[in-house]
Structures are given as C-alpha cells and as structure tokens.
Amino acid sequence: MSFLNEDEKPAGRRGFVRAQGDALMFGDGSTARFWGTNLTAAALFGTEPQAVRQQARRLSRLGFNLARIHHHDSHWVKPNIFGPAGQHDTRRLDPAMLERIDWWVKCLKDEGIYVWLDLHVQRQLRAGDAIAGFDEIAKGRPGVEFKGYNYVNPEIRRSMQRFNEAYLGHVNAHTGLAYKDDPAIAAVLVTNENDLTHHFGNALLPDKNVPHHTAAYLREARAFARAHDLPERQVWRSWEPGPSKRFLNDLEHRFNAEMIAHLRRIGVKVPIVTTSLWGEQMASLPALTDGDMIDVHAYETPGPLARDPRTAANVAHMIAAAQVADKPVSVTEWNMSPFPAFDRHVLPMYMAANASHQGWDALMQYAYAQTPLQQPGPPSNWHAFNDPALLSSLPAAALLFRQKHVQAAKTVRVLQPTASQLFDEGLTAGGTAAMRIAAERGRLLTVLPEVPQLPWLRPGVVPIGARHVDDGARQLADVRGSELRSDTGELGRNWKQGVFTIETPRTQAALGRVGGRSIDLPQVRIALTNAEASIAVQSLDGKPIDVAHKLFVSIATASLPKGPKQAPFFTEPAVGVIEIEAAAGMALQRGPHGAGSTSDPQLDYGDGKYTLRFAGKDVVQWVVLSRPEQTAP
C-alpha cells in the first residue's frame, strides 16, 4: 500500500494541518484524512536506528499515513524521555532519548507518514520538581502521576508548560526543524486520558487525604456556585450528575484555555487536542470542545457485529456520538480486548467503513508496538506488528479509508440534548436505541446546548436538512428483522448472523460469521467453511471491481497465540471459494505481494468470473490478481 504515500513524501509537503469546520485540511487547501497507529514506550527508545528505518517503510507498506508517539514520558518506560530510571526530577529532557524520537520522526516523514505528538501521558513528578503539595499526593513514594491535580495546582501547570517548551522547541537533529515548526507534525494532545468530568474529579475530594489540593478544589467549587447561584453542597460532589458536571467542565475549560494559549504563544501551528472522551459520559463533551478536534478512545469487546442496536451499543455508536457540530473527530486509540479476542480481525475494516460513512478524520489503531522492533516480540494486545489477525486486514482498511471507497452518509441525524439531559440525566454515548440506529443509517451529529453557567461554550447549529433523533419509537418501529443498512446502501449489518457487509464499486467485503453460508455481493461471492473471517476484494487501479485490471484480496481468519505471551501464532487457513466477476486476462501473483506458495489458492476463470479455491493447505492472507503488464497500482 506504499503507493498511497508516494505523493505525500516527505510528510508536510502540503503545509501545516489545520481544522476547518468539521474537517482537517492541509495548508494547500486539500483535505487531510489520516489512517494511523501508535508507536509507544520501548518501541520508541529501544528500536535500533536501522530497524526504525525499516519499520517506517513497513508502516507505509501497510497503508498508514499517521503515527502517534505515545508513552514517551511514562514512568514504567525505562529509559523514557527523561533518561534512565532513578532520576531526581523531570525538569530536563535527555538528549539521547530525544534523538531517538527525532530519528523516528525523520524516518516516518521520509515515508510520507505524519506524526501525532502527545505532550503528557503518564509522567511522574518527583521530589526534585519542587511542586507544592507533592508530598501529600506522593504519600512517601519517590514519584507520582498528577492526573486531576493539574487542574487545581498552578505549579504543576507551569511544569507541564516548561516540558512543552522544551519538547516542541527542541530542534530535530535529523530534520533541522523544531517540532513546533515541522509541518509533518499533524497535531498535539495536551494530556492523555485526564478529565475531571468522569475520572479524576474524585481524586480531589475531602476523603482523599490531599488537603492542599482539596482546599483549592473546594475554593473553586464555592466560587462557581456563588457566581451561578447553584447549591454549594452539590457543586463539589464530583461523582454525582447535576451541578457538579457543569462545574467540572468549567474547571477543565480554564486549564485548557491556559494550556492552549501557551502552546500558541510558543508557536504551535497545528490542531491542539485537550484530552480524550474515554468512557461514555457525554457530559464530558463541553470542555473537549476547547480543542480543535474531539478525540475519542474506543475499546471494543468480542462480538460487536452480533450486537443488536436496539438493546446495546458497539464501538461505532460510541464514536459517532462524539461527533460534535463543527469539530473534526480523531480516534487516537481503538482496539478490542481481552486479548486475544477471537474476532479482532473484523475491527480494522469495520472501523474504516464507519469512519468513511460518518466523516471521521483521523483514526489510530492501538498499538503497532511497545517493544523494540528488531525483535520478534511476544503476542500482546499492544502489538499489531506481529499479529496475523490484524496485519491481514489493516492494509485493506487503509485502502478503503484513504481512497474513500465508502461514500459519506447522505443524511444527518442530530442529537440535540438539553443542558438537563446532558448534565443531570447522565446521557451516555450510544445510550439510546435512537442514537444507535441513527448512527447505523446516516451520520450522527451532536449539537451541544447553550448553558448559562458555561458562557464559553459555543452552542452548536443544526445543519440545514438534518433530522432530529427522536425518542426512538419511530426508528425502532422502522427496523425490520435483524438487519440495518446505511442510507447509501453500501453498508449492512445483520446482527442475528453476526455479519457486516461492504458493497461499493471498489471494495466489496464480508466480515464476521461468514462460514457455512454463501454471501452474495454485487461482483463477489464468498463461500467459506471457516466460522469467522474477514474477506475483502478491492480495486487497486481506481476502477470498479468489474473492470479493474488489478485486484487485491484480503483474507483474515482466526489466529491465536500458543499462550498468553507465547509465540507462535496459530492461524486457521481459509477453506472454500471466493468468486469475483471481473475483466479477463488477470493472473495470480505469487511471492511477497501475493499468495505464498503454489498450493493455495488455485485460480480458475470462466463465465466472466474468477474462482479462488482455498483447500486449507496454506495460510494465505493476501492475493493479488493483475494483468501481466500491471506492475503498479
């Protein structure tokens, strides 16, 4: 898939990424659409230079055009950005570790891959950082994370700002550009998974034995209550819905405003994201609108395709609910757990298809690796680089998403909660059947209300022609049987069968419980005996499948490791047939870009269609059909 990046080399050649309305744009006015992954922890600091170059090339071949640098500061990563373990403080960035990240950025940039930088993930403050109140949160430990405390402790905020100045102002030894001046940097995230509205507000409560921070928190709560004539006894109670959620959003907002203003002052030009929606409370959304994008963390459990939207949400519904009017959407983490989920192979194509239909802008699988990449590495939920189930379907997902094989939704359905529904009633992402059904059929958009206590919150505007998500009665009545189709007719999900289908001119696919039945798509028929699989047939030359001269077939099947952290993986070979109606004259490629051996599959052509026969003799993940003269997409 590296041809997808050929016109993007080096990354940044189109100018700085910016948010414009609900889309991402490059400086030259072209649309930015990112299919990405995460490089984390020891993969950043322990991968040898030559392996970094090789892996950057491999990421391009897999179709990625964005990589998020993550867990660079986390205390459990040794060494991390501050150097080896045992440092007295975190005031200085280690030059040798910075150079490791510099080299990743350089190699990724050369391959046309943009970089997303997190500023704070799991940094631990230490005694040498001289932060007021350190002792009460450390409780005798040498270091402590500061999530939640940063919202009420100005010294922690100044420490974060000093880090941001040093990190973003540092000149890359290999590009000659500071990160803040490099258009290959696509976006920055202020603080990872660190919100008050759902998670860390409770860390500041009186029963947590942090009197310095609790006193600051209660002062802010009383001031907010008095300013807005709200009951003080409720405003500080962070675990309850109601006035506390308004207050916590405001407290987050003040932190966000300070950090964003500082980043702009030091010269950051790209979109800034505050933190992420991780969890389902939509009361967290107002403060997230301070950023240029709404970011989501989305973790699925096995069986998402078999979940009835009338009764339960899956990952696509939860992300869709975070699409706030006039804001782009990024998903810096998506994955399925617990590992090894039997059907994890369905997720790349399912995510890519829904992202295209909904109009999401940047998706990052979590994670490509968090181990040094000159080694095979153990099986892990955080290692896609050695996981056959994911590797077999990620390139197909990249092709679909980046080339827009799936149409954007034709209709928009708007969720327009009142302030009371948002803050007092505990509205959740995907929490109603009406929301879930709306997200399957068309684009779901959330329009936030005007909130008198949050004058900084810009209320959304309902797009012309949009339909409102009602109480669900009418939409529930419209659901016939156990299947829903998108308003474009291209996507369909049958939850009784546990099958998701994609039917477009350039991609036709079936994911999930495909075994034991014939699945008939416009130009493709799939008939396998494998209980679970993800099969995609795609055009590689930009033409519809039936007239294309180069086709890409992806076969993802069940794959389990020998043990929880033990290689090798054991992958089920495909058994059955895939028929493709397409132009005559193509042959099966064998070798590094096609099928592996002469045993499987066998290819026949007749009556205007190719038949690929899989006898279960080999594990074949990719098949390329092309005319002999076709050497490039």
Side-chain angles (χ1 to χ4, degrees):
M1 294 299 151
S2 58
F3 71 91
L4 293 169
N5 289 340
E6 283 304 314
D7 291 340
E8 306 302 323
K9 297 180 180 179
R13 63 182 293 271
R14 298 183 184 274
F16 287 97
V17 176
R18 69 178 189 275
Q20 183 172 310
D22 63 357
L24 294 178
M25 309 292 290
F26 290 117
D28 65 1
S30 57
T31 301
R33 177 176 277 210
F34 293 111
W35 181 256
T37 188
N38 281 255
L39 294 165
T40 81
L44 299 173
F45 304 111
T47 305
E48 295 171 356
Q50 182 57 30
V52 170
R53 188 187 293 277
Q54 292 170 337
Q55 290 293 332
R57 174 63 177 159
R58 187 177 189 237
L59 287 163
S60 179
R61 290 164 67 93
L62 290 168
F64 294 111
N65 66 337
L66 180 64
R68 179 187 182 215
I69 303 297
H70 187 64
H71 282 310
H72 60 300
D73 65 346
S74 298
H75 56 90
W76 51 270
V77 180
K78 301 171 183 178
N80 62 18
I81 196 69
F82 304 109
Q87 297 297 313
H88 178 63
D89 61 55
T90 56
R91 294 181 176 187
R92 289 168 290 277
L93 310 188
D94 186 277
M97 297 304 104
L98 271 173
E99 193 276 335
R100 299 289 179 92
I101 295 179
D102 286 349
W103 182 239
W104 269 111
V105 172
K106 157 69 173 171
C107 292
L108 292 166
K109 182 175 181 175
D110 287 348
E111 295 296 338
I113 299 172
Y114 286 75
V115 175
W116 175 297
L117 291 178
D118 287 358
L119 300 177
H120 164 241
V121 184
Q122 283 183 309
R123 173 186 172 190
Q124 275 195 348
L125 292 173
R126 296 190 166 269
D129 290 310
I131 299 294
F134 170 80
D135 290 340
E136 70 177 29
I137 61 175
K139 294 180 170 55
R141 293 167 292 183
V144 66
E145 289 184 45
F146 54 80
K147 290 183 179 181
Y149 304 113
N150 55 288
Y151 290 101
V152 297
N153 189 324
E155 292 185 15
I156 294 179
R157 293 198 293 276
R158 286 193 289 271
S159 177
M160 295 175 74
Q161 290 167 7
R162 286 192 296 270
F163 175 91
N164 296 348
E165 290 172 5
Y167 193 45
L168 298 173
H170 153 77
V171 175
N172 186 322
H174 304 287
T175 66
L177 292 172
Y179 294 156
K180 67 182 178 63
D181 298 322
D182 190 342
I185 305 302
V188 298
L189 175 76
V190 174
T191 180
N192 180 70
E193 293 190 347
N194 180 13
D195 63 79
L196 288 175
T197 51
H198 187 41
H199 293 91
F200 292 101
N202 292 353
L204 305 170
L205 297 176
D207 64 346
K208 298 302 186 291
N209 194 26
V210 287
H212 177 83
H213 294 86
T214 297
Y217 172 75
L218 293 177
R219 281 196 301 272
E220 296 286 1
R222 285 192 293 269
F224 186 82
R226 288 194 296 267
H228 300 290
D229 195 24
L230 294 171
E232 286 187 25
R233 65 183 181 278
Q234 291 182 334
V235 165
W236 67 272
R237 296 165 70 87
S238 59
W239 68 96
E240 293 181 347
S244 71
K245 299 305 179 184
R246 293 167 172 83
F247 162 60
L248 293 170
N249 269 283
D250 192 66
L251 194 54
E252 268 194 43
H253 161 74
R254 280 178 274 154
F255 166 82
N256 293 340
E258 179 181 339
M259 299 301 287
I260 291 170
H262 176 259
L263 289 169
R264 294 301 183 202
R265 281 198 304 272
I266 66 174
V268 173
K269 305 167 184 65
V270 295
I272 297 169
V273 177
T274 58
T275 190
S276 306
L277 182 71
W278 58 301
E280 298 187 44
Q281 279 205 5
M282 293 187 71
S284 299
L285 283 174
L288 293 176
T289 65
D290 289 329
D292 297 303
M293 265 188 289
I294 303 294
D295 185 56
V296 186
H297 287 181
Y299 285 84
E300 185 55 277
T301 55
L305 303 186
R307 220 163 288 151
D308 186 337
R310 294 170 295 188
T311 58
N314 70 22
V315 65
H317 308 135
M318 293 184 285
I319 300 170
Q323 174 78 74
V324 174
D326 291 327
K327 289 284 181 180
V329 169
S330 60
V331 184
T332 47
E333 298 182 21
W334 62 263
N335 203 338
M336 185 185 288
S337 59
F339 181 82
F342 69 92
D343 59 344
R344 63 192 185 280
H345 55 77
V346 307
L347 209 50
M349 288 290 282
Y350 187 62
M351 289 290 292
N354 278 283
S356 293
H357 184 242
Q358 293 290 333
W360 305 333
D361 304 275
L363 289 92
M364 286 149 270
Q365 178 271 337
Y366 193 89
Y368 183 71
Q370 65 176 32
T371 190
L373 284 163
Q374 61 273 4
Q375 305 167 2
S380 167
N381 210 39
W382 321 127
H383 298 164
F385 82 100
N386 62 4
D387 185 348
L390 292 178
L391 290 174
S392 50
S393 54
L394 280 165
L399 184 67
L400 178 151
F401 181 70
R402 294 186 57 191
Q403 287 198 332
K404 303 181 181 179
H405 288 194
V406 169
Q407 295 180 64
K410 294 179 178 179
T411 58
V412 177
R413 290 176 168 84
V414 169
L415 177 69
Q416 193 173 18
T418 65
S420 180
Q421 289 171 325
L422 193 63
F423 299 119
D424 305 333
E425 298 177 19
L427 184 66
T428 61
T432 69
M435 291 167 61
R436 298 189 293 268
I437 292 168
E440 299 247 2
R441 285 179 165 158
R443 189 185 194 201
L444 179 63
L445 193 66
T446 296
V447 173
L448 293 175
E450 184 175 1
V451 182
Q453 298 87 3
L454 308 179
W456 46 267
L457 177 62
R458 187 180 68 181
V461 177
V462 177
I464 296 173
R467 306 176 190 176
H468 283 266
V469 174
D470 59 16
D471 64 0
R474 184 171 67 250
Q475 286 172 292
L476 283 168
D478 287 345
V479 176
R480 298 285 186 265
S482 56
E483 183 172 10
L484 279 173
R485 296 201 69 80
S486 65
D487 57 6
T488 62
E490 293 182 337
L491 307 180
R493 186 165 73 89
N494 186 309
W495 49 89
K496 185 176 181 180
Q497 295 179 354
V499 174
F500 180 76
T501 55
I502 303 169
E503 302 176 37
T504 81
R506 291 183 289 166
T507 290
Q508 294 177 26
L511 325 174
R513 299 174 188 166
V514 300
R517 58 173 59 93
S518 176
I519 298 177
D520 297 304
L521 307 173
Q523 278 81 43
V524 175
R525 186 176 79 88
I526 299 164
L528 300 181
T529 61
N530 306 71
E532 285 271 349
S534 295
I535 308 298
V537 177
Q538 297 173 290
S539 167
L540 280 173
D541 61 10
K543 300 174 184 176
I545 289 170
D546 57 348
V547 294
H549 293 160
K550 191 165 190 178
L551 295 175
F552 179 53
V553 184
S554 301
I555 305 103
T557 54
S559 184
L560 297 174
K562 181 178 180 181
K565 295 185 178 180
Q566 280 186 289
F569 282 87
F570 294 90
T571 303
E572 181 183 36
V575 179
V577 300
I578 301 173
E579 295 179 351
I580 309 166
E581 295 179 14
M586 289 187 282
L588 178 66
Q589 282 192 17
R590 297 190 184 274
H593 304 296
S597 76
T598 57
S599 299
D600 261 347
Q602 295 300 309
L603 178 69
D604 299 313
Y605 185 80
D607 297 325
K609 64 186 176 186
Y610 296 89
T611 302
L612 289 162
R613 301 184 187 277
F614 297 86
K617 296 178 180 179
D618 295 305
V619 173
V620 179
Q621 295 163 312
W622 303 302
V623 172
V624 175
L625 302 178
S626 68
R627 292 190 172 183
E629 68 274 13
Q630 288 288 115
T631 58

